[in-house]
């Protein structure tokens, strides 16, 4: 089935809130770190599965603007894990033609992590396979406020007419402007909320909430979410096909 022909095909862009690492570890009497380590391995597997399933873009919420509120040792652990994972996975991701982008603020990260991010982005910039966006120190509100500030600056300097600001002008400066909006947004771990993820981009995403904890997520759980997606009728504010005569 083609894209844009009114038929539902698989999602082009999948976004995931990876939740439940801590609970997975606690249920096994393990430290939270073990849950996060396992979570990183699952992220690796899901990148592969998504790529094989024909997904064009995958956006993973790895560290939110609010995660700084966690105890300092856990923040340190998550940032270290992120740096080590990026370094370890770079060669395989590049070999699989994956293009990596990090979305979010980098200003508070240690220099070593920023360097790994830049290195991965530069190394994979010419790849044209799966676009892997990793959201770190990211918040949907942060992104919208940042763009509002930028447009206000341009208006003040006279390079932008405020009446010319529409959804497309606004959206063009957001962190995920290089991708289409996510078709399917998955949250693992049993909560049914967005937690400040992709507030602008998820306006018409299909939202899939599962009780499965992120470390237990695997190929079959992703395929179940994709199957569910293909059965959704996406109307984007329109009426159902065949209902316009009523
Ligand atoms: C939520 O579980 C998970 C996180 C805050 C971190 C996610 C990070 C990873 C999976 C590892 C790195 C990923 C990549 C892409 C390199 P939680 O701690 O909130 O779990 P809980 O709700 O059970 O406490």
């Amino acid at each position: 089935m083609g894209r844009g022909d009114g038929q539902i095909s698989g999602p082009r862009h999948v976004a995931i809130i990876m939740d439940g690492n801590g609970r997975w570890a606690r249920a096994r009497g393990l430290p939270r770190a073990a849950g996060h380590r396992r979570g990183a391995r699952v992220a690796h597997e899901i990148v592969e599965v998504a790529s094989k399933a024909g997904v064009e873009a995958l956006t993973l919420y790895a560290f939110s603007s609010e995660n700084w509120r966690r105890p300092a040792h856990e923040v340190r652990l998550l940032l270290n894990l992120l740096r080590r994972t990026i370094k370890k996975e770079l060669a395989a991701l590049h070999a699989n033609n994956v293009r990596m982008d990090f979305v979010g603020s980098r200003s508070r990260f240690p220099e070593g992590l920023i360097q790994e991010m830049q290195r991965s982005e530069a190394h994979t910039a010419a790849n044209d396979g799966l676009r892997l966006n990793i959201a770190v120190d990211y918040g949907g509100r942060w992104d919208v406020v940042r763009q509002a500030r930028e447009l206000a600056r341009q208006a003040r300097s006279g390079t932008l007419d405020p009446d010319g600001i529409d959804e497309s002008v606004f959206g063009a400066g957001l962190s995920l402007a290089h991708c289409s909006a996510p078709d399917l947004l998955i949250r693992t771990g049993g909560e049914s909320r967005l937690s400040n993820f992709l507030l602008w981009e998820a306006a018409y995403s299909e939202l899939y909430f599962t009780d499965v904890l992120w470390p237990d997520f695997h190929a079959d759980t992703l395929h179940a979410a994709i199957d569910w997606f293909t059965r959704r009728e996406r109307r984007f504010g329109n009426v159902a096909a065949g209902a316009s005569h009523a």
Side-chain angles (χ1 to χ4, degrees):
M1 277 177 276
R3 310 278 190 203
D5 56 4
Q7 301 280 351
I8 302 279
S9 51
R12 295 172 63 186
H13 183 174
V14 176
I16 309 184
I17 301 176
M18 309 176 287
D19 195 14
N21 295 348
R23 278 164 287 161
W24 181 90
R26 194 171 61 232
R28 286 159 182 77
L30 297 169
R32 292 175 63 81
H36 292 314
R37 279 197 299 272
R38 166 83 178 217
R41 285 205 296 278
V42 171
H44 169 112
E45 184 190 344
I46 292 308
V47 169
E48 270 181 26
V49 177
S51 185
K52 286 192 188 123
V55 170
E56 294 168 20
L58 178 67
T59 301
L60 301 176
Y61 205 8
F63 192 90
S64 77
S65 335
E66 289 72 36
N67 283 153
W68 294 106
R69 297 181 191 148
R70 294 189 176 207
H73 65 89
E74 181 160 345
V75 168
R76 217 168 25 246
L77 183 145
L78 279 168
L79 299 185
N80 275 334
L81 178 63
L82 200 58
R83 183 178 48 73
R84 279 188 279 116
T85 307
I86 299 169
K87 193 170 178 178
K88 184 164 140 249
E89 302 293 344
L90 178 58
L93 290 169
H94 182 51
N96 283 292
N97 199 21
V98 173
R99 177 168 180 183
M100 287 173 85
D101 284 289
F102 292 90
V103 294
S105 167
R106 299 183 191 192
S107 60
R108 290 203 270 177
F109 286 149
E111 194 49 40
L113 176 54
I114 297 172
Q115 278 171 11
E116 285 306 334
M117 289 174 172
Q118 288 169 342
R119 197 164 76 96
S120 309
E121 287 176 333
H123 200 66
T124 61
N127 292 345
D128 59 4
L130 179 79
R131 283 207 86 148
L132 175 61
N133 304 303
I134 303 186
V136 281
D137 199 3
Y138 170 88
R141 289 179 178 176
W142 163 84
D143 207 16
V144 167
V145 168
R146 191 178 61 85
Q147 167 65 339
R149 196 184 299 124
E150 170 57 25
L151 294 180
R153 269 197 204 106
Q154 292 176 18
R156 187 177 56 191
S157 71
T159 55
L160 174 72
D161 173 3
D163 289 330
I165 301 174
D166 57 14
E167 291 185 11
S168 110
V169 168
F170 199 93
L174 294 175
S175 301
L176 278 184
H178 56 277
C179 289
S180 58
D183 304 289
L184 170 63
L185 191 153
I186 299 171
R187 180 175 186 144
T188 65
E191 309 289 355
S192 309
R193 53 176 175 258
L194 286 180
S195 298
N196 203 11
F197 190 42
L198 306 181
L199 296 184
W200 174 277
E201 296 83 351
Y204 284 100
S205 301
E206 298 294 331
L207 307 180
Y208 184 87
F209 298 106
T210 171
D211 288 337
V212 173
L213 303 175
W214 178 249
D216 288 328
F217 200 83
H218 51 79
D220 286 352
T221 16
L222 179 62
H223 285 304
I226 292 177
D227 285 350
W228 173 86
F229 172 86
T230 60
R231 294 194 301 275
R232 309 300 304 158
E233 184 189 27
R234 307 189 76 200
R235 295 195 293 276
F236 300 98
N238 200 341
V239 293
S244 54
H245 60 282

